[in-house]
């Protein structure tokens, strides 16, 4: 059975698709709980300029027992390791759990001659995909087809971040909360910048990770503009964004889309992908291929921080500036002069 057969049939049209995205964008919930995800580059300590083979990585991960903080371990296409912690009651609890799990993971990897480098970009090795997964193979083909193969490969295989997940807040305050998450972005990009090198070369950017994201399709990776209700804006963003790939089997097969086909064109039948129109499941999967600096997933997914050794402080600052009302007000005022200056922040950092 194909994936879309399990997803209640085709969407009726643009209005149904837009409402589906809107309803999933921001769930009312009081600030407080914090979820954290930490990526790091996996390094063979004996051969640091070689990527670790996929079979070796997956074998180690498969043998890991449950971690003390209950984090989930996943792998990115270049072999980066990601720890995803469950929500903590506050940022201190989330940091403590992820720190404990990171220590266990480092110990297990160290015994196998491997280490973790939490940096925004891989400073030594050229971009190369080691995952054989069909999703990533299709992504690679899509990026090549739409004219950004270099940035696409670097994003998938040579970048790492610390991600902070925060509640969406009460309905009446969600617009300001989403706007503040974006306004903080350039400042926190500059504060977290830890990626001046990529593939053995100095790049001239303090956050090469952010520069890589900026070189990708901004219809997929650009920020929301904050001019309207964020749920409405996110729905329009999702429908205008080009479809990257179409799943076609429940075994995880994927077919890359070789041109720019907005999801709205697929749902109206203007362009058929995979010989059909999309289902709600296809729309949900499409949302996983959108990478704005702040993604709305019922909660706020803050995606713009470089990974770095100081990730606990970055997580604490980000959560506090958004969740503490006094800090949020002060931060909103302080960030006004540099709102939207994502490129300058990536290039110059705190300078």
């Amino acid at each position: 059975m194909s994936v879309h057969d399990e997803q209640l049939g085709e969407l009726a049209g643009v209005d149904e698709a837009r409402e589906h995205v809107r309803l999933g964008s921001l769930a009312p919930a009081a600030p407080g709980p914090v979820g954290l995800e930490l990526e790091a580059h996996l390094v063979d300590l004996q051969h640091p300029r070689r990527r670790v083979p996929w079979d070796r990585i997956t074998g180690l991960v498969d043998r890991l027992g449950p971690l003390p903080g209950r984090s989930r371990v996943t792998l990115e296409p270049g072999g980066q390791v990601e720890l995803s912690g469950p929500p903590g009651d506050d940022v201190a609890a989330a940091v403590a759990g992820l720190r404990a799990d990171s220590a266990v993971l480092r110990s297990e990897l160290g015994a196998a001659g491997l280490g973790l480098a939490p940096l925004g970009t891989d400073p030594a090795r050229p971009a190369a995909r080691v995952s054989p997964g069909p999703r990533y193979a299709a992504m690679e083909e899509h990026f090549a087809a739409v004219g950004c193969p270099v940035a696409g490969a670097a994003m998938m295989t040579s970048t790492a971040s610390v991600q902070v997940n925060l509640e969406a807040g009460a309905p009446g305050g969600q617009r300001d909360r989403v706007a503040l998450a974006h306004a903080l972005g350039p400042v926190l990009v500059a504060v977290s910048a830890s990626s001046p090198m990529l593939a053995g070369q100095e790049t001239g950017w303090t956050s090469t990770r952010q520069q890589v994201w900026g070189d990708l399709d901004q219809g997929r990776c650009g920020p929301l503009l904050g001019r309207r209700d964020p749920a409405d804006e996110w729905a329009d963003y999702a429908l205008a964004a080009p479809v990257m790939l179409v799943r076609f089997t429940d075994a995880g097969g994927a077919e890359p889309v070789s041109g720019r086909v907005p999801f709205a064109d697929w749902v109206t039948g203007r362009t058929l992908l995979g010989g059909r129109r999309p289902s709600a499941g296809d729309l949900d999967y499409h949302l996983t291929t959108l990478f704005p600096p702040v993604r709305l997933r019922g909660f706020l997914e803050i995606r713009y921080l470089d990974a770095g050794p100081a990730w606990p402080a970055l997580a604490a600052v980000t959560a506090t500036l958004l969740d503490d009302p006094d800090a949020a007000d002060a931060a909103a005022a302080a960030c006004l002069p540099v709102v939207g200056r994502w490129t300058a922040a990536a290039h110059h950092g705190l300078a």
Side-chain angles (χ1 to χ4, degrees):
M1 180 185 294
S2 67
V3 171
H4 70 281
D5 288 337
E6 302 174 0
Q7 302 295 334
L8 306 179
E10 294 177 350
L11 291 162
V14 168
D15 289 344
E16 183 183 0
R18 180 180 285 112
E19 186 64 10
H20 183 82
V21 178
R22 280 191 73 263
L23 290 175
S25 62
L26 294 169
V34 176
L36 297 177
E37 302 177 26
L38 177 64
E39 296 172 334
H41 306 283
L42 186 65
V43 180
D44 184 328
L45 299 178
Q46 294 298 315
H47 305 284
R49 293 188 177 274
R50 301 180 190 171
R51 290 191 180 266
V52 182
W54 188 249
D55 288 347
R56 185 180 176 192
I57 306 171
T58 53
L60 287 167
V61 170
D62 289 345
R63 290 193 295 273
L64 280 174
L67 296 173
R70 298 181 294 117
S71 292
R72 185 166 54 96
V73 182
T74 55
L75 299 169
E76 296 296 316
Q80 309 98 307
V81 178
E82 180 177 23
L83 277 173
S84 303
D89 291 339
D90 55 25
V91 70
V95 165
L98 198 61
R99 181 180 269 150
D101 291 348
S102 180
V104 172
L105 180 62
R106 283 179 175 278
S107 177
E108 294 287 337
L109 293 174
L114 301 174
L116 292 174
L119 298 168
T121 52
D122 188 323
R125 300 171 297 190
R129 178 171 58 87
V130 296
S131 168
R135 170 182 168 97
Y136 299 122
M139 287 176 68
E140 194 172 69
E141 290 185 46
H142 173 82
F143 284 129
V146 299
C148 50
V150 174
M155 178 275 284
M156 289 195 297
T157 69
S158 299
T159 64
S161 69
V162 54
Q163 185 171 293
V164 182
N165 301 323
L166 303 173
E167 299 289 12
Q174 288 176 346
R175 180 171 180 173
D176 288 345
R177 189 163 167 77
V178 173
L180 177 58
H182 284 82
L184 288 169
V187 174
L188 292 179
V189 165
V191 168
S192 68
S194 67
S195 49
M197 295 186 67
L198 177 66
Q201 301 291 324
E202 293 186 3
T203 64
W205 296 77
T206 61
S207 176
T208 303
R209 183 201 55 81
Q210 180 64 29
Q211 184 264 335
V212 165
W213 286 100
D215 277 353
L216 291 170
D217 184 348
Q218 290 303 286
R220 181 183 310 284
C221 302
L224 301 182
L225 299 178
R227 294 170 182 166
R228 296 182 291 118
D229 173 81
D232 287 337
E233 189 174 357
W234 176 235
D236 288 344
Y237 182 108
L239 294 182
V243 181
M244 175 181 281
L245 53 90
V246 178
R247 297 180 300 166
F248 58 85
T249 71
D250 56 6
E255 177 183 333
V257 179
S258 59
R260 286 184 58 85
V261 179
F263 192 91
D265 284 5
W266 190 17
V267 80
T268 61
R270 179 177 298 175
T271 302
L272 294 181
L273 299 175
R276 59 181 177 83
R277 288 169 60 175
S279 67
D282 291 311
L283 178 51
D284 290 337
Y285 194 73
H286 171 64
L287 296 177
T288 72
T289 70
L290 307 182
F291 310 113
V294 180
R295 188 160 63 178
L296 308 188
R297 295 186 55 198
F299 53 90
L300 305 187
E301 189 179 78
I302 311 297
R303 303 174 50 84
Y304 46 63
L305 302 169
D306 273 16
W311 66 264
L314 294 172
V317 167
T318 303
T320 300
L321 292 183
L322 278 154
D323 285 357
D324 180 275
D326 292 336
D329 288 344
C335 288
L336 277 177
V338 291
V339 167
R341 296 188 64 189
W342 299 94
T343 301
H347 198 180
H348 302 293
L350 290 173

